[in-house]
Amino acid sequence: MSTLTIAIIVVFVLGYALIAMESLTKVNKAAVALLMFVFCWTLYMFDPAPFVQLMHPDFTGTGDKVVSFVNTLITEHLGDTATTLFFLMGAMTIVEIVDQNGGFNWVKNVMRSKTKRSLLWKIAFMTFFLSAILDNLTTSIVMVMILRKLVQDKHDRMIYASLVIIAANSGGAFSPIGDVTTIMLWNAGMITAGGVLSEIFIPSLVSMLIPAFLLQMLLKGNIQYDDMSSDMSGDREVLEFNGFQRKIVFAIGVGGLCSVPLFHFFTDLPPFAGILLVLGILWTVTEVFYRNLHKKRGDEIQFSKRVSSLLSRIDMSTILFFLGILMAVACLEEVGVLKELGSGLNTTFNGNHYAVTGIIGVLSAIVDNVPLVAGSMGMYPIGIEPDMAVDGIFWQLLAYCAGVGGSMLIVGSAAGVVVMGLEKITFGWYMKRITWIAFLGYIAGILSYWIMRTYIFTTPL
């Protein structure tokens, strides 16, 4: 291993450590990820020829041709990364439009329950399926906001919020648009929408049901409600569209998100194109609504919920974090580190994909699952053997393990981090009471997948 390779690894590890210690350093992880990305590639450019010869033996150029080739490589990696980023930006904007126009208010009425345990099961299934349609981060925010209106007891709400984390991560794992990692695998063509929906649904459901069953033991009695009428009327007062218009916004937004896999299937265009199509349609429809509102109220009236205004609310720091981390991982791929690491794991576990992906899932609870999946995609390219082919056991397990494994620690997923901030749940409380429950669900899901692929679906559907 060359000195440059070691230096790149050191920069990556230090950057990773700073990202993990964001709460201590108070430095935004997006800033660290961007620095890590640029520093890694800068070190790479000190002497790129050996790396090009190692990873691209068919290339025979020298001198300026090597520099030109490396710049082409960076552009290709940036293009692959951009497909994921534009998908996320489009999806986040669509969800923001629907939410700001009262599209999710109906959830509050659906969730009302007499007993604590019945509310728990409603939360579990609502979160599970909403996360598959939206994403686990947005779903977690919506569900915690609803919980604050339904549950007054702080301890009970922490239990419900913990289940939201588990259910959101489990629900996102079986949908091609439910989690950043499944979006990445789907964009790269390693899994298909039909394959992951049909074969990961049962393991994901198992990984949610077992923790929900165990957590319900901690809840007893009925729920005492305050008068929520003022709360609901308050929601209505700030909305700019009438009821019929809000239903149209909800139908286009959520229906469009659900139809993106079909768009990809019929057109063969990348999934981000489908997301941008839905965003374009939704934006146009809302502009027509606002045109009519201006006719009634006057052109001087300013509306705060126009799409052009909501775009400023999109979390660009998250987008830039993904850009930095994915491009830094691409550098590790180009210096051959990921290939060697993949070979080492295969040798250690004798090619047992259940063990390899299981460990990746556990690691995703400690570090961010986005770079883990990006690294795995570099370590294990699509192969001709059944397990490594499109919708093979390895890729489907990777989608499941990286998504669900993050539930084992509260900092192991975007859903966990946002719930931790909203409900002030401590790392220690979650680890003591919830980690082992999430781990049981995680292992049970892997076991159910093994049973399915061994005895039921011996080949991909």
Side-chain angles (χ1 to χ4, degrees):
M1 189 176 290
S2 69
T3 304
L4 269 180
T5 303
I6 295 173
I8 290 171
I9 294 173
V10 169
V11 168
F12 188 86
V13 171
L14 285 176
Y16 222 125
L18 289 172
I19 289 171
M21 294 187 295
E22 181 184 15
S23 60
L24 297 177
T25 64
K26 305 302 180 184
V27 177
N28 192 289
K29 63 182 179 181
V32 177
L34 291 175
L35 290 175
M36 188 167 62
F37 152 40
V38 177
F39 285 165
C40 284
W41 281 103
T42 301
L43 290 170
Y44 181 98
M45 292 301 290
F46 281 171
D47 187 16
F51 299 130
V52 173
Q53 292 172 3
L54 174 66
M55 300 304 296
H56 305 277
D58 294 336
F59 179 77
T60 57
T62 57
D64 290 341
K65 290 184 178 179
V66 173
V67 175
S68 178
F69 181 75
V70 172
N71 279 293
T72 302
L73 285 177
I74 294 174
T75 303
E76 289 177 355
H77 283 295
L78 182 60
D80 292 338
T81 300
T83 61
T84 299
L85 299 185
F86 277 111
F87 188 101
L88 286 173
M89 290 172 65
M92 291 165 69
T93 305
I94 292 168
V95 170
E96 187 72 16
I97 295 168
V98 175
D99 184 41
Q100 288 298 314
N101 286 286
F104 298 114
N105 283 352
W106 62 273
V107 180
K108 298 173 187 175
N109 292 327
V110 173
M111 298 299 291
R112 286 177 68 91
S113 305
K114 288 188 64 176
T115 67
K116 295 179 180 180
R117 289 185 176 180
S118 65
L119 176 61
L120 178 137
W121 286 105
K122 285 184 178 181
I123 288 172
F125 283 103
M126 182 69 75
T127 306
F128 182 79
F129 288 107
L130 269 183
S131 180
I133 298 172
L134 308 177
D135 65 82
N136 51 14
L137 177 61
T138 304
T139 301
S140 299
I141 295 172
V142 171
M143 297 306 294
V144 169
M145 293 305 176
I146 292 170
L147 278 174
R148 287 182 173 180
K149 301 176 186 300
L150 298 177
V151 181
Q152 303 303 316
D153 184 85
K154 173 67 174 176
H155 180 265
D156 287 349
R157 200 164 67 240
M158 288 171 68
I159 294 173
Y160 287 124
S162 300
L163 180 60
V164 165
I165 296 171
I166 295 171
N169 288 332
S170 295
F174 81 88
S175 166
I177 62 172
D179 187 85
V180 176
T181 53
T182 55
I183 291 171
M184 291 164 58
L185 291 167
W186 185 39
N187 269 317
M190 292 166 173
I191 59 175
T192 64
V196 73
L197 283 168
S198 60
E199 298 183 45
I200 301 299
F201 174 75
I202 296 298
S204 296
L205 184 63
V206 168
S207 71
M208 181 274 289
L209 289 176
I210 290 179
F213 178 78
L214 293 173
L215 286 173
Q216 77 164 353
M217 305 298 181
L218 303 176
L219 298 169
K220 295 179 180 179
N222 296 329
I223 300 174
Q224 301 297 322
Y225 288 109
D226 292 333
D227 183 11
M228 296 176 60
S229 59
S230 59
D231 180 51
M232 296 298 290
S233 63
D235 285 336
R236 286 194 293 270
E237 287 171 2
V238 298
L239 299 178
E240 296 167 350
F241 295 155
N242 60 39
F244 177 71
Q245 290 171 328
R246 294 201 301 273
K247 289 177 182 177
I248 292 177
V249 169
F250 179 82
I252 295 175
V254 177
L257 287 171
C258 296
S259 66
V260 169
L262 290 176
F263 176 85
H264 172 66
F265 176 79
F266 286 114
T267 66
D268 288 326
L269 287 171
F272 80 90
I275 280 288
L276 295 182
L277 172 65
V278 176
L279 176 58
I281 294 173
L282 188 57
W283 196 339
T284 302
V285 170
T286 57
E287 286 297 294
V288 172
F289 291 162
Y290 281 116
R291 179 174 175 270
N292 294 331
L293 284 173
H294 279 300
K295 287 182 178 179
K296 295 178 180 178
R297 304 185 189 180
D299 291 337
E300 70 280 358
I301 299 296
Q302 298 296 317
F303 296 102
S304 62
K305 298 183 186 299
R306 296 188 88 135
V307 176
S308 54
S309 299
L310 295 180
L311 284 172
S312 63
R313 302 189 186 188
I314 300 305
D315 187 1
M316 284 304 299
S317 67
T318 298
I319 299 297
L320 292 175
F321 167 71
F322 289 141
L323 171 64
I325 203 75
L326 291 174
M327 289 301 292
V329 169
C331 185
L332 291 185
E333 179 182 345
E334 288 298 332
V335 300
V337 170
L338 300 184
K339 184 178 180 181
E340 290 298 319
L341 184 58
S343 300
L345 282 174
N346 273 340
T347 301
T348 302
F349 295 100
N350 197 26
N352 187 326
H353 298 313
Y354 289 90
V356 172
T357 54
I359 288 176
I360 291 173
V362 172
L363 288 174
S364 75
I366 303 171
V367 296
D368 196 281
N369 59 1
V370 172
L372 277 177
V373 171
S376 300
M377 292 163 66
M379 288 190 289
Y380 305 97
I382 296 176
I384 56 173
E385 59 175 299
D387 285 3
M388 302 302 295
V390 177
D391 275 338
I393 288 175
F394 179 84
W395 301 117
Q396 291 190 343
L397 272 176
L398 183 61
Y400 168 83
C401 292
V404 177
S407 300
M408 286 183 274
L409 292 178
I410 196 167
V411 296
S413 65
V417 171
V418 73
V419 172
M420 182 183 187
L422 290 172
E423 285 300 313
K424 302 298 184 287
I425 299 175
T426 64
F427 181 92
W429 183 92
Y430 190 93
M431 188 172 185
K432 181 179 179 180
R433 293 170 173 80
I434 308 299
T435 293
W436 68 274
I437 294 175
F439 178 73
L440 286 179
Y442 173 71
I443 294 298
I446 295 177
L447 180 61
S448 67
Y449 182 80
W450 175 79
I451 293 172
M452 287 173 56
R453 290 303 295 260
T454 304
Y455 298 106
I456 303 174
F457 305 124
T458 55
T459 56
L461 289 178

